[in-house]
Amino acid sequence: MAEFNTPLILGDLHLKNRVIMAPLTRSRATDDRVPTAMMAEYYAQRASSGLIISEATVISEEANGYRNTPGLFTDAQVEGWKVVTQAVHEQQGLIVAQLWHVGRVSDPELLGGQTPVSASAVQQAGHVSLLRPKRGYVVPRPLEITEIKSIVEQFKQAAIRAKEAGFDGVELHAANGYLIDQFLQTKTNLRDDEYGGTVENRARLLLEVIDVLIEVWGAGRVGVHLAPRGDEHDMGDDAPRETFGYALEQLGQRNIAFFFTREYLADDSISNYMKERSNGVPYIANMRLSREDAMQLLASGQADAVSFGKAYIANPDLYERLMVNAPLNELVLENMIGTDVAEGYIDYPSMQNKCAADRSQN
């Protein structure tokens, strides 16, 4: 029966425990998308997790939808990430890079005046995150076939740079309504070419990118991030069991290291169905998990590992706290995204530091 502290093998990754740090956009990189020393400290603080999945990292400047998110397409970015991965490894941690193209979830202001791209010209509801003055999303431009091939190559080059930067593997961000998801789900993919229509065609970009990541890293160091509910960025699919079941069947044939789903637990959850279709690919559960939820998922074998996001922002030693059922620090929303200050980023106390501070006051 698996518990938080049970070791786990994900492909070629040997994890010391089954508590995973989810990818968390914090927008703390430089204007040129170079990781900073403060980011290295942030990740090193959380290296007791079994695996860190980095914040989403753009594969090109054209792939971005937010200011100050890190990249993996320049030499300076590689050098910045080297400091981060070294800091994590010095704490005996593992870290994989999450590779990202936002597609339509952007704005011309962030793209040098260019129109965001997507599978099809389907406008997203809502307003662009963090930009002021407030504005709605624009109608995206459908990608041409040659452009799709170019983006696949950008993913490959980012994977090569991730290896140069010292990461332990890569995870493809195919969730939350970003570009890969926009091709996968029927609401955003209205194409009638080889990338649209049937589930086989809609999954083509996902699988082409996975294949080039495997070329670089080997299947045992490649994971994928999926969101079968389609509950972010105005997504939706006519038949999610068919779509995501097929995707996992194909990923299982490639024997990738893991798949991660952002899907809260409910009667209509399909993550376990996806696991059944995956030919044994290890499954990382995520989204709104309580400690009790996580323990039950591991004990029952429904999930191979459990992942936490916001709890890891406020608790650098979350793994240790889960082990002893210790109280958690309260999440402070101020400074959570996009500042250059330490407060709300690297100043959350660990249990050990808090106890030492309490003793000094007595």
Side-chain angles (χ1 to χ4, degrees):
M1 183 174 73
E3 300 179 358
F4 291 133
N5 63 347
T6 306
L8 174 64
I9 296 175
L10 301 179
D12 295 331
L13 300 169
H14 291 245
L15 280 57
K16 57 195 174 188
N17 64 63
R18 299 190 181 219
V19 178
I20 311 299
M21 179 177 166
L24 295 158
T25 293
R26 305 299 302 277
S27 296
R28 289 308 208 282
T30 69
D31 291 344
D32 293 329
R33 306 190 183 279
V34 176
T36 63
M38 191 162 60
M39 288 172 59
E41 182 173 353
Y42 166 77
Y43 282 112
Q45 288 175 346
R46 289 153 178 80
S48 63
S49 60
L51 176 68
I52 294 172
I53 303 175
S54 83
E55 61 205 276
T57 301
V58 290
I59 60 169
S60 68
E61 192 60 47
E62 298 75 31
N64 97 83
Y66 308 86
R67 292 194 176 99
N68 299 106
T69 54
L72 263 172
F73 55 91
T74 71
D75 292 343
Q77 291 160 2
V78 169
E79 293 304 310
W81 276 120
K82 282 181 180 178
V83 179
V84 175
T85 60
Q86 180 178 344
V88 171
H89 292 154
E90 286 175 352
Q91 298 300 318
Q92 289 74 54
L94 292 173
I95 181 169
V96 299
Q98 188 187 60
L99 304 181
W100 190 33
H101 192 307
V102 306
R104 70 174 184 168
V105 189
S106 192
D107 184 82
E109 182 177 324
L110 299 168
L111 300 172
Q114 297 299 306
T115 301
V117 298
S118 185
S120 302
V122 180
Q123 185 177 19
Q124 179 179 324
H127 296 89
V128 182
S129 296
L130 305 177
L131 288 188
R132 296 295 180 269
K134 204 170 185 179
R135 81 287 303 266
Y137 289 97
V138 302
V139 178
R141 178 178 64 80
L143 283 163
E144 299 178 4
I145 296 288
T146 55
E147 294 177 301
I148 295 172
K149 303 300 184 185
S150 176
I151 287 172
V152 173
E153 180 61 25
Q154 288 176 358
F155 272 106
K156 182 176 182 179
Q157 293 304 313
I160 292 170
R161 289 186 179 275
K163 183 172 282 192
E164 295 171 355
F167 283 98
D168 298 296
V170 290
E171 184 197 61
L172 174 61
H173 197 339
N176 301 357
Y178 296 118
L179 184 66
I180 305 298
D181 209 14
Q182 291 160 31
F183 272 80
L184 189 60
Q185 298 200 44
T186 56
K187 185 173 182 178
T188 45
N189 189 337
L190 309 180
R191 303 176 73 97
D192 58 6
D193 59 13
E194 65 192 90
Y195 288 94
T198 66
V199 65
E200 293 82 3
N201 285 351
R202 287 183 284 111
R204 190 180 304 279
L205 178 57
L206 164 68
L207 299 175
E208 286 182 347
V209 174
I210 287 291
D211 285 343
V212 298
L213 301 186
I214 290 172
E215 281 182 38
V216 175
W217 279 96
R221 293 183 181 272
V222 173
V224 67
H225 200 95
L226 297 162
R229 286 195 180 279
D231 54 358
E232 280 282 313
H233 293 126
D234 193 26
M235 295 299 294
D237 191 82
D238 293 336
R241 284 173 66 90
E242 177 188 2
T243 295
F244 289 92
Y246 173 79
L248 262 297
E249 183 179 274
Q250 294 299 307
L251 293 167
Q253 291 178 13
R254 288 160 171 80
N255 201 29
I256 63 169
F258 66 88
F259 77 99
F260 177 120
T261 62
R262 180 189 168 278
E263 185 188 44
Y264 61 82
L265 301 177
D267 290 341
D268 60 349
S269 299
I270 67 169
S271 291
N272 277 300
Y273 170 72
M274 293 163 65
K275 181 176 172 60
E276 291 171 4
R277 294 283 298 272
S278 75
N279 191 36
V281 174
Y283 160 47
I284 301 173
N286 171 259
M287 195 175 180
R288 303 181 195 169
L289 296 179
S290 68
R291 180 176 185 270
E292 292 70 28
D293 289 336
M295 292 174 66
Q296 194 278 328
L297 286 169
L298 292 176
S300 66
Q302 292 179 75
D304 299 286
V306 289
S307 181
F308 298 87
K310 290 180 179 178
Y312 253 121
I313 292 177
N315 299 275
D317 57 347
L318 180 64
Y319 166 69
E320 289 86 350
R321 290 174 187 259
L322 290 172
M323 283 296 298
V324 299
N325 198 20
L328 301 184
N329 293 326
E330 184 177 346
L331 178 65
V332 179
L333 296 179
E334 186 179 4
N335 296 338
M336 194 166 79
I337 300 288
T339 73
D340 58 1
V341 299
E343 289 78 16
Y345 189 55
I346 57 173
D347 65 335
Y348 284 105
S350 66
M351 290 188 294
Q352 183 178 4
N353 291 344
K354 187 177 186 304
C355 288
D358 290 345
R359 284 195 300 269
S360 69
Q361 293 172 4
N362 293 330

